[in-house]
């Protein structure tokens, strides 16, 4: 389907938002299957993910063949969201947006202001919403759930529902009996092990850890289309007009031109917003990636970014990557700025203790140790006051920093002294600590770099 240019600044493109009533309903699977289905039909597909997520976008990048950017009205902002959607509409045949959590979850708007829920984004931009509902254990009651989600907010552009986890064709017929005529039932997804994505404690398993994800996507699409429940799942949604925002933020001058920034990137360090990498490149930085897991030395650089990820899954291997650790120490000794976020912070500590109590030596560039817990120790959107300026982002982690004398993992005071604390978005309470130890800046906080371009530029220019 060709795109229609309405004016110099407004472009139409088919778009839909894949939502659900909550987590583990199947919306990531449906989003990935839709992206691959349309890509296999020769269409160029751009996927976005609402909220501060790293894992689902990895799946969708494989499915669509393009980097997946995050959309969040609070963290990213309306102006940047409109810019990205306008750009996507001008280069793609279909835009798919996957929701985080439930459709109506998140910060609600007050006094006529737009909130930060996926539903708010859909209403603001007129994006049709398709809701995925887990149908296991229900039949005609499925229709009542669909009706409730469709009618809860009357101004929501509702495009239909998808039944996930359908046990049989007969089960699907029972579901159809209960769905009101005014709600389109777009498809049923079979309750089939071959349509399940593997998970672990922070969500889905990373895309590049899955054996032949590309083949899995193609096979899953064929399985879906060959069932008797596909209905209209392969039809393009309606086109929506996307306009370039009136006020477009001027891009910072090439303030990082000539600066080389080394970025850790592998299975252990993979929680990287594409927008962060894009911004560093826009500012003129030369980006050099390296793998601590492969014991690669940090490339010659003027700044280092150690992003989050899963260092706890590779603690033993990271403990032995002495070449990486020595090259990091040489850079720190030379006062090179190092940004260590969450998993990157853990890698720089003296020890990382796994859930089963095994202590693994880390780089030792920061005092103290961390222990993995079975429950979340931090979760949610936050604002962090860097010395260079305020940044927006989020936190989610299962580990806890301990004192340097507590080897048992039973608690204690953190030997690092915080220079500042983040503020939680949801209740303005105290959030994650910010640490500055020599040239190392560390925190559990994951920064969204475009939320303060100047602050990022000043930090990596130091």
């Amino acid at each position: 389907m060709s795109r229609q240019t309405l004016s110099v600044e407004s472009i139409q493109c088919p778009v839909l938002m894949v939502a659900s009533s909550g987590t583990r309903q199947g919306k990531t699977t449906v989003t990935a299957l839709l992206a691959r289905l349309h890509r296999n039909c020769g269409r160029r597909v751009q996927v976005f993910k609402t909220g501060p997520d790293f894992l689902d976008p990895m799946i969708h990048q494989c499915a669509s063949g393009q980097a997946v950017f995050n959309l969040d009205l609070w963290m990213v902002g309306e102006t940047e969201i409109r810019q990205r959607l306008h750009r996507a509409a001008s280069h793609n045949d279909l835009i798919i947006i996957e929701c985080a959590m439930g459709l109506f979850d998140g910060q609600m708007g007050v006094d006529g202001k737009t909130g930060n829920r996926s539903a708010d984004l859909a209403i603001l931009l007129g994006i049709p919403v398709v809701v995925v509902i887990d149908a296991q254990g229900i039949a005609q009651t499925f229709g009542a759930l669909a009706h409730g989600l469709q009618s809860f907010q009357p101004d929501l552009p509702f495009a239909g529902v998808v039944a996930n986890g359908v046990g049989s064709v007969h089960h699907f017929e029972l579901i159809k009996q209960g769905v009101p005529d005014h709600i389109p039932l777009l498809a049923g997804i079979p309750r089939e092990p071959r349509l399940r994505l593997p998970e672990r404690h922070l969500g889905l398993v990373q895309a590049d850890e899955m054996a032949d994800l590309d083949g899995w996507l193609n096979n899953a699409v064929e399985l879906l289309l060959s069932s008797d429940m596909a209905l209209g799942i392969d039809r393009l949604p309606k086109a929506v007009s996307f306009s370039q925002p009136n006020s477009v933020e001027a891009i910072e001058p090439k303030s990082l031109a000539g600066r080389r920034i080394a970025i850790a990137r592998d299975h252990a360090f993979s929680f990287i917003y594409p927008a962060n990498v894009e911004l560093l490149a826009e500012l003129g930085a030369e980006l050099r990636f390296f793998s601590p897991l492969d014991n690669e030395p940090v490339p010659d650089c003027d700044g280092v970014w150690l992003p989050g990820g899963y260092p706890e899954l590779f603690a033993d291997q990271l403990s032995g990557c002495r070449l990486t650790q020595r090259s990091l120490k040489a850079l720190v000794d030379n006062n090179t700025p190092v940004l260590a976020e969450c998993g990157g912070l853990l890698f720089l500590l003296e020890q990382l203790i796994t859930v089963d109590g095994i202590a693994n030596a880390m780089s030792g560039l920061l005092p103290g140790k961390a222990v993995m817990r079975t429950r979340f120790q931090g979760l949610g959107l936050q604002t962090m006051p860097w010395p260079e300026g305020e940044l927006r982002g989020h936190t989610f982690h299962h580990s806890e920093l301990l004192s340097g004398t507590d080897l048992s993992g039973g608690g204690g005071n953190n030997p690092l002294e915080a220079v500042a604390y983040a503020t939680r978005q949801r209740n303005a309470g105290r959030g994650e600590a910010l640490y500055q130890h020599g040239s190392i800046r560390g925190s559990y906080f994951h920064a969204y770099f475009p939320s303060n371009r100047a602050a990022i530029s000043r930090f990596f220019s130091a």
Side-chain angles (χ1 to χ4, degrees):
M1 180 176 182
S2 62
R3 297 175 298 277
Q4 178 183 356
T5 302
L6 301 180
S7 67
V8 175
E9 298 181 342
S10 185
I11 298 175
Q12 280 194 339
C13 183
V15 59
L16 63 86
M17 178 179 286
V18 179
S20 69
S21 60
T23 58
R24 290 179 169 80
Q25 297 288 302
K27 58 182 180 293
T28 300
T29 299
V30 171
T31 301
L33 292 183
L34 283 172
R36 177 51 62 92
L37 187 158
H38 287 283
R39 181 184 177 190
N40 287 350
C41 291
R43 300 183 179 107
R44 186 173 172 85
V45 182
Q46 176 67 66
V47 182
F48 293 94
K49 177 66 190 282
T50 69
D53 187 13
F54 298 111
L55 296 169
D56 295 353
M58 298 178 188
I59 306 291
H60 301 327
Q61 178 171 335
C62 179
S64 66
Q66 299 195 72
V68 176
F69 291 87
N70 298 77
L71 304 180
D72 185 274
L73 284 166
W74 183 82
M75 186 179 78
V76 177
E78 182 182 343
T79 298
E80 184 182 334
I81 287 175
R82 289 187 181 275
Q83 289 173 354
R84 291 201 177 279
L85 289 173
H86 181 270
R87 187 186 311 165
S90 65
H91 293 95
N92 292 278
D93 303 299
L94 173 64
I95 297 171
I96 306 175
I97 303 171
E98 186 201 347
C99 292
M101 300 178 64
L103 177 60
F104 299 104
D105 293 331
Q107 194 76 24
M108 297 182 66
V110 294
D111 299 328
K113 295 182 180 179
T114 301
N116 194 35
R117 307 168 305 168
S118 295
D120 295 316
L121 182 64
I123 293 169
L124 179 69
L125 301 178
I127 297 170
V129 176
V130 171
V131 174
V132 180
I133 301 175
D134 187 350
Q136 295 190 62
I138 58 174
Q140 289 90 340
T141 303
F142 182 97
L145 298 176
H147 172 72
L149 290 165
Q150 183 265 342
S151 61
F152 181 76
Q153 196 154 344
D155 53 348
L156 180 73
F158 201 87
V161 291
V162 171
N164 188 34
V166 181
S168 64
V169 174
H170 174 66
H171 183 199
F172 192 54
E173 289 300 321
L174 296 177
I175 289 170
K176 285 197 290 186
Q177 290 175 15
V179 177
D181 292 338
H182 65 280
I183 298 179
L185 178 58
L186 301 179
I189 309 296
R191 190 185 308 161
E192 166 64 60
R194 289 176 292 172
L195 293 176
R196 289 195 196 124
L197 292 167
E199 299 183 10
R200 62 162 63 108
H201 60 277
L202 291 182
L204 293 174
V205 172
Q206 297 178 97
D208 56 5
E209 291 184 66
M210 298 182 194
D212 192 20
L213 176 59
D214 197 64
W216 180 90
L217 286 163
N218 287 330
N219 292 335
V221 166
E222 290 181 12
L223 179 63
L224 174 63
L225 293 178
S226 64
S227 73
D228 295 322
M229 300 178 283
L231 301 181
I233 194 70
D234 57 341
R235 297 174 194 156
L236 276 172
K238 76 170 188 176
V240 171
S241 176
F242 294 102
S243 299
Q244 185 74 273
N246 294 328
S247 175
V248 178
E249 181 182 357
I251 295 178
E252 290 279 315
K254 300 290 185 179
S255 53
L256 294 179
R259 308 285 291 185
R260 293 159 300 185
I261 299 177
I263 304 174
R265 185 174 65 181
D266 55 27
H267 291 335
F269 304 96
S270 58
F271 291 176
I272 300 173
Y273 289 125
N276 287 7
V277 176
E278 180 185 76
L279 174 62
L280 293 174
E282 284 180 356
L283 294 176
E286 178 187 339
L287 306 182
R288 298 183 172 186
F289 295 92
F290 69 101
S291 169
L293 278 180
D294 290 336
N295 198 24
E296 295 178 352
V298 182
D300 184 29
C301 64
D302 306 293
V304 181
W305 177 25
L306 301 174
Y310 285 117
E312 66 272 20
L313 299 180
F314 307 95
D316 181 62
Q317 188 174 345
L318 290 173
S319 181
C321 62
R322 299 303 182 190
L323 184 58
T324 302
Q325 295 175 19
R326 286 197 298 269
S327 60
L328 271 172
K329 184 179 185 303
L331 289 165
V332 171
D333 290 343
N334 196 38
N335 210 34
T336 303
V338 175
L339 175 60
E341 295 183 326
C342 200
L345 172 70
L346 301 184
F347 180 55
L348 296 186
L349 294 172
E350 294 167 325
Q351 285 186 346
L352 175 57
I353 304 170
T354 61
V355 174
D356 52 9
I358 298 175
N360 296 273
M362 292 290 107
S363 302
L365 298 179
L366 292 175
K369 54 182 68 71
V371 62
M372 297 303 302
R373 304 297 191 193
T374 56
R375 301 184 64 174
F376 272 118
Q377 302 300 304
L379 177 67
L381 295 166
Q382 299 188 8
T383 303
M384 178 64 79
W386 275 19
E388 297 83 4
E390 188 176 271
L391 283 154
R392 292 188 173 190
H394 82 290
T395 179
F396 72 129
H397 59 96
H398 278 78
S399 65
E400 177 188 5
L401 291 181
L402 304 176
S403 72
T405 59
D406 188 350
L407 294 176
S408 66
N413 296 322
N414 174 15
L416 286 169
E417 185 175 344
V419 297
Y421 286 92
T423 300
R424 293 192 181 101
Q425 184 247 353
R426 69 176 183 273
N427 60 10
R430 192 171 85 168
E432 298 291 355
L434 179 69
Y435 307 108
Q436 188 73 47
H437 188 80
S439 66
I440 298 173
R441 180 166 299 171
S443 178
Y444 276 115
F445 174 79
H446 297 267
Y448 185 74
F449 291 1
S451 66
N452 193 330
R453 297 164 179 250
I456 294 298
S457 175
R458 285 194 288 269
F459 174 79
F460 283 111
S461 296

